[in-house]
Structures are given as structure tokens and as C-alpha cells.
Amino acid sequence: MSFEPKILSFLCNWCCYAAADAAGVARYQYPPYNRVIRVMCTGRIDPRFVVEAFYVGTDGVFIGG
Amino acid sequence: MEAGRSPNIEIITLAELKGLSGEPGHFKATVEVKPRYIDPEKCTACGMCMTYCPRLVPDEYNENLDFTRAARVDYAQAIPTAYYIDAQKCLRLNHEACSLCLNLCGPKAIDFTQVPEERTLEVGAVILAAGFGRVPLEALQKYGYGEYPDVVTSLELERLTCASGPSEGEVLRPSDMTHPQRIAFIQCVGSRDVTCGQNYCSSVCCMYAVKEASVVKEHAPEAEISLFFMDVRTQGKGFDESFRRAVDKYGFRVIRAKVPKVEQIGRRLALTYVPENGQARREFFDLVVLSVGLAPPEDALSIAQVTGIELNRFRFAQTSSATPLQTNKAGIFVAGAFQGPKDIPESVVQASGAAALASEILAGARKTEIIEKSFPTEDQSLLQEEPRVGVFVCHCGINIAGVIDVKAVSEYAASLPHVVVAEDVLYACSQDTLVSLVQKIKEYRLNRVVIAACSPRTHEPLFQETLREAGLNPALFEMANIRDQCAWVHGFAPEYATEKAKDQVRMAVAKAVRLEPLEIQRVSVTATALVIGGGAAGMTAALSLAEQGFEVHLVEKTDTLGGNLKRLRFLLSGEDPQKILHDLVDQVQKHPRIHVYLDTSVENVSGYVGNFTSTLKGPEGSALVNHGVVILATGAGEYRPELYCLGQDPRILTQLDLESALTEEKDLLLEAKSIVMIQCAGSRGQGLSYCSKFCCQQAVKNALQIKNKYPGKDVYILYRDLRTYGFSEEAYREARNQGVIFLRYEADAPPRVEVRQGGEIKVKVKDRLLGEDLLLPCDVLVLSVGVQTQGSEELAKTLKVPLTQEGFFLEAHVKLRPVELAVDGIYVCGLAHAPKPLEEVLAQARAAAGKAAIPMAKGYVEVPPIVSRVDQSRCIGCGICADLCPYNAIVLVKVGKRKKAETITASCKGCGVCASHCPVLAISMGGFTDEAILAQIQAFGTKEKKKETAEEAA
């Protein structure tokens, strides 16, 4: 069985979250392995969030801003 | 989107103005509304009608490069977000065949019984914003458009490079669908062209061509791009810099030549042109892009007929320099490209300015017909209870349910802790579902709501409003995005999509449980403005605000009002600038709501939007004033560089000096036989890095003055790019006809000037055609020097607002917020923003007044509760947050003996930089607290852990 990573994404409301919505509107297909947490700015992301994400078992953290 | 959501804006689409009568304050407009055949109230934009519509039609939105359906929405972001049926193309409407959509439409939004209706609207003012139309086809056909498939327009290329366009952003040439290697842009197609009646410059094409070329390079880095210009007219704020950067980065070839024709030879296109050295060349390209200009809107004539406004000779709305946004009909204003070709920032500025003018005549009726929603008081007892979460999973027709097993997701949600009810709904956003949501909240005593549907960016406000209707605080709401970011992007992996939806719902519930109610904060606004700068911009802004009913403190540092306008003697339009000045001064001095402070400087400004306090230092000491907003109209001064012997000889003048000399009929001019003007003296890389935008018009204007007054005198204008954009192109043509000689020079070979005391002035310039130096006879040398800011740095420091590298105030957003600064409640206009001609200064001043009036008219500023909050008992007063805050929304205050951070909620934007950097975790963000986000992260991990333990057990 191929590797199916679990990726936690932190997306900025104003850019990357909007882009992820736009990808949907355009029906771009991408692998279904990410889960999204919306933040109002990537400046909000505390290093603890990233550490916590790895602690609870994510394979990767994506920060989009 | 914002307009679509405002309860006080009714958008009437498919409508045409049929009649207009009445006077300012009392117009009656007759509007014919054509049927849409789809009820936008019921339509959920699911797209089923379009998917199954059998009628293929060319897609006009995509420049006919693709096909669409008779039932459609033109693009995903369209407002209203509802489909419509093309009455010209629909099979049912034209042939009584097919009713497929009628039967398919889930929410039953389709209604073929609709007929055109006539509506009468009672309005106080009219703003015409009809945009622009297409240039005549013959202007394109000259270049083989329509004959050779690989000659495309810039509008077509725009669609081709768009990710949601017909080729999904791939640049393909139409003839063989290959990637073009060599691409040529031909400028001024349908612009600056007398042969097709378009003798004006469209102002935007030079800039958009470079933008499009850059986008092409990003899609296809191997493409080689050549751009054929007559002049490079990138005169806007920061445009020269962007142009230079793009040319350097992408290696564009910039060729100055007018291409006479295009021929197809084999599979390629041949361009024959004559560059400046006069030696004709022929080059081959794979794709030729015609940079088409802006024409007046197609219905300009009918608008003029219905409204009675005058059009200019090109069929744009006629306005004057003194009143650039007013038509000849009182109460009818114009904004955008209908007033003349212009780009987005200029159009947005004009729109705000026109709104200010409308607000001036409607000030008396303010707040009489506005809609303000009211909500029941929040049920506090609900919050005392443990979290009771309701989860609603939306099918969105088949948009979500077609991929995701919605029932499974809602059953899963029901099993999560704190969830008391979980249901699936057909359309969460439909009116009937919203009504039942209110009932469910009451029935199950819900104190948290999670909706798994589309994006919170579009639908959160709608659902939050529903919560408020149910007496629940809107902050107790969370969305799981299972459509845009799940069903739509994982259509081929439905099982995985269902799993992802469950995870997102679990995370949303975990966050919802930790949400706390938040107050929408209201800060009251002092209805008084401080306008800094008493020039044309400051006076216009002050007058507009005063007319709108607000008190204004107008501060001028010198002893007279007027600024640079005092030195202006002529305008290209023929109007008298001194009359404009005197009218302005007169009105300002007479206005009871304007308080003028001469010889006064602004020493200190404290506070925030709605509540500023400033110290004004004048001849009679200092005074304190309270005000709600600030308009910066501090202007800029003439730049006098130590170049071309300026200041060393009385015969060497600036353009402003020349204007006074001309009105005073000085001997110097009377005796002169030959007058030489040098453009960009000290600008565009010499001293000043930027273009001052107005100097080319100014030079042409003054050259025409000389030619009219003294026809025998020779006038030479030495220039780099002659930037007589818009309608001033006509004056350029007129100047050439009158015998003014224009000679171009390159930046690396500027003219050389030598003066011998009492002797002649020698001006040498390299002729582009001969490649040799020309020695020009010169009795008077006139320098076009541009402008430079003065004192903006100090003011920027006082107000904590950013400046550009060149010292002009930096707007919050170039296109969307062109007169607002990053700090709320502070606005900018005139030369303090960027160099520009008088007409644009006056329009921008009105725009600043229009924007500044918004908080004052409302009387309060509402702050969404996503702002930061400092727990002062934990704060150690280190000040990291205050340093980092990009909006100056955190200040350190003395609490007892120690310093503590405090958020100015009115200025906070909720970015959370402070919270993530606070070393003692004393700052929390409304709706995005550490606890809530950590709960989301932990919920993300929960299932994985379970799985692992299960695997271990196995």
C-alpha cells in the first residue's frame, strides 16, 4: 500500500484559504490527505501549534500565507 | 461581494435605464428589468442547470474562446451568485423545446413565466459608471485580426492566461494549439489612431501589456517577448518602477516603433517595422497580441439621450478640469472609464469621489431610508450550560452529496462529544433551512452551531446572522469546509473525501466547544475632520466634508491658501486655474463649518479612528482639537535639481516659471526666437526615481501657449516618452501640427547644456535617426522638473503611517483602497499621494472626503470581535507585541507602577501576530484562541491515535 500522509494545513484567511476555495471552484483535483485549520493570518501561528501537530501524529505541517 | 452583502445596496441586473426626470434630490428613474428566468433568492448556485443544459453557446465572458451553456453563470465569483438563462439562446424560450433545467433544479428556482418589468426608482442623485466599450473592429483588422488566427487581442490573451479560463492558464496559439515561442505585443491598437477616429491615448495599455507579458513568462518561461511601443506610458504611481523590474526580470525587448502591418508567412507572422534608426526590419513571431484600447461604452449615446448629459467628441462623458466628476446636469455624476480611459485605481478613486458628491446633495436625507437589522437580545441562560453543539451537514444539492456520503458524516457527527443533534440538510443556506435552524437552536437549546458546507469566507456572515436571529451570540459558530476544499477537489476519491469531511467536522466541533461569546465592539466617532494642507486637494476635501455636514479644521502651514495652484496659469482644457483657485478659496472662507488655520503646523496627533486629538501650533500659540478622521493633503513642491544649469542663468526656467513669464509677457520671451524644453529634468532616474505624471502635458500645454501667442517662435521638446495620456493626446497632436518639434532622447544619453555668461545657451542632443549630435539654437531653456514631497517624513512618524521609498504616503491597497492609509481613519489625497495633474487631484480629494465621511456619517466604528485581548494580570509589559503589531493597534499603558499592553480594538485587524509572540501567553484572539486552535489540532490527531492503538492491538 502506498504512503498516505496526514498533513495539517494552517491557511491564512485572506490568501491561501481563499486560494484553496478558488481551487475548488475551478475543480482542481489534488490528493485528499490534508486537513485545514483556518487562521486570520499566518502571523497567528504559534510554534507550539506546529509542535502539537507533530505530537498528535501529523506527517507534515503546511503553512500557507 | 461587499456590495452584494450590503442591505443598503440593491443590485438590479439585466436592467436598462429608460427614462430620467426630476432634479437633484428628487429624480425619478425608469428602469427596464429583463427577466433572468432564475430566481436569485432561491438559486443556490449548485450549477445543475448549467451541467445539463444541452444548448452550447460561445462563451462571451471568455472572449468566445470557449463554449458555455444557455443556462449559466459567467464566472464563479459573479454577484449575485445566481445563474441566469440566456434568453437569446435558450431552447425552451426560443423553440418551446427542452425544459431539462426546470425539472432538474433542486430548489425550484427556474421560472420561465417571467416577463420584462418596468420599475420606477425614486433617487436623489445619479452616478454614471457605464465603463468602457470595444474599439472599432477596423482598428484590429489592419493587423490581420480575424484573418490570421494567431493575431489575438490582449483581452483574449487575458482569458488564455487565466487559471479559470478556457485553456486553464496555458498559453496556446489558436492555429495549432502549440506553445508560442516568439510573441509580439503591438501597442496603441485603436488608440492614438486618427484613421479610426480614436485620437486619444487609452492610458492603461502600456501597463497591462507588461503585466500580461509577465504572466505569459510565468506560464511559459521559454517564451521570448517583444513589445512595440510608440511611447512607454507608465505614468502612474510606482508604474515606471514595475515596468523596469519586469523588463529586467523577464528580458523583454522594448522596441520603439509603430508596426504598420502583420502578414502571415507559412505558419508564422511577419512584422515589418521601422525602428528609430530608420532602417526597416522584418521579424517573425508565433503569436501577435494587439493591445486594444478603451472605447466609450456601447450605450453612451442612449445614456446621454435619456439623462441629457453631454458627451465629448469621442463619446465619453464631458467633464471639466474644475469638476472632473460632474456632468453638465446637476445631480448626475460620472465615474470610471465612461469619464475617460483610466485604470482601476483611478476608477475606484473617481467612484468614491462621485459618492461624496452624491452624499453632499443628500446630506439632509441621511439615515432616512437605510435598513438596519435588529436582533433579539442574546439568551444568557444558554451559556451557563455545558456546550450543546448542533451539527448540520449540507448536501448542497449534489455538489457535496455527489461525492461525500453526507448521511455517514452526520451520523459520525452525532457520535462526537457535546453534540446533541446532527442532521443532514439539502441546502444549508436556503431560506427554509435557515428558518428551521432558528427553530432547532431553540428546540435543542443549542449554544454552539457547526455547519459543514461551503466556505466560511462566503457564508459565515449569513449563518452568524441566523444565530443572532435565534438569540445566540454569532461567535459561537464554526464551519467545516467540505465543499470548496473537499468534495470539489476530491471528486475522484469519494471515500477519502468522506473521511476528510468527518475529520474536518470533528475538528470544527472540538473548536466550537471552546468558543466563547464575543461582543461586537462599537467605538463612537467624533464628527469632525482634520484636513492637513490648504492646497487644491485640501480645500476640495474640506469643502466636500463641510457640505456633507461635518465640521472641518483645515490647517495650512503657509500664510495663504492655494498651494501649487497659485503658480498655475493655464490648463489644457482652456479653463483658468486662477479662477478655480479663487472659487475654492472663496467657498472655503465663507463656509460656516470650515475653520481655517494659517501659518499653522500639526505638532502632535494621538488617538485612533473616531477619537483623535491633535495639537495645532499657530501664530497665536497652540490649540488642541478633537477629530474623528484625518485627511493628509500636504502636497509636494517643485523639484529644482542642480541640472542643466538651472539657477545659473535667468534664461533657464522651470515650466512653472515659464507660465508666469508668459502671463507677464516678459521681454525674455518676447526677444527669444527659439525655446527648448527638456522633459524628465531630474526625474525618472536622475535625482528623482519616478515620473511626475503631469510634466509632459504641462510642456505641451505651454508649448501651445507660446505658439498661439507668438506663432513665429520655434519650440523644441526633448523627451524620453511623451506621456500625454487620455484626451491630452489631442493637444500633443495639435502641438505637432503647429510646428513644435519633438526629439526623443535615451536615458543614457541626456541632452547636454552649456551656458556662457551673457553668451548663448548651447543645447546638444543626439538625434535618434541620424545617430549624431544636434546643436539646437536656444534663447530660453525650460526644464520640466517634476515634484518632490516635503515634510511627509515627519508627519508619517507622528501618525505612524507608511511612506513609499520616494516619500509619498502609501495607500492601504493600490486598487481597492487608494485613498485610505493602513491606519484606520487616515486618508490621503493630492500630490502627497503621488504626482498627478489638477483634474486628478480634485477627483481624489473628493474621494478622500467620501471615504472619511463614512465613519463620521455612521457615528460609530464597528469592530468584528476577532480582535486581540490582553490579560493584563499576566502581561509583563515587555512590549514585543506593540513593536510587532503592523496596525499600531497595541499600546503600552501605565497600570499602577508597571507598563501593560493594551489593544486598541478599533485599530486591530485580528491577525494574531501579538498572540503568537507573547512570551507569557497573555494575549488571546477572539474566535482563534490558543485553546480553540489547540483543540482543533488535537482533534485532528485523535483518530490517528485510535487507529494506531487498534493496529498495535492487532
Side-chain angles (χ1 to χ4, degrees), chain B residues 79-125:
Chain B
I79 300 283
T81 318
Y83 283 60
Y84 70 96
I85 291 172
D86 184 339
Q88 311 296 312
K89 300 287 161 54
C90 172
L91 292 172
R92 156 87 191 219
L93 289 167
N94 292 286
H95 309 287
E96 301 247 336
C98 177
S99 286
L100 212 49
C101 53
L102 198 61
N103 299 316
L104 277 164
C105 179
K108 299 282 165 224
I110 294 172
D111 178 6
F112 282 111
T113 64
Q114 287 182 357
V115 286
E117 89 180 280
E118 198 169 271
R119 288 182 59 181
T120 308
L121 308 172
E122 300 226 5
V123 296

Side-chain angles (χ1 to χ4, degrees), chain B residues 241-262:
Chain B
E241 177 62 27
S242 308
F243 182 85
R244 250 195 320 266
R245 250 198 332 256
V247 170
D248 288 349
K249 181 172 173 191
Y250 297 112
F252 298 139
R253 265 172 79 210
V254 173
I255 302 157
R256 281 161 211 274
K258 176 98 180 144
V259 178
K261 68 172 184 176
V262 178

Side-chain angles (χ1 to χ4, degrees), chain B residues 593-629:
Chain B
R593 280 189 285 271
I594 301 179
H595 312 281
V596 179
Y597 301 79
L598 296 175
D599 271 325
T600 302
S601 59
V602 177
E603 291 292 299
N604 186 30
V605 183
S606 63
Y608 49 88
V609 57
N611 299 279
F612 289 104
T613 303
S614 301
T615 315
L616 308 181
K617 197 175 160 203
E620 280 135 46
S622 293
L624 274 184
V625 291
N626 294 321
H627 51 100
V629 295

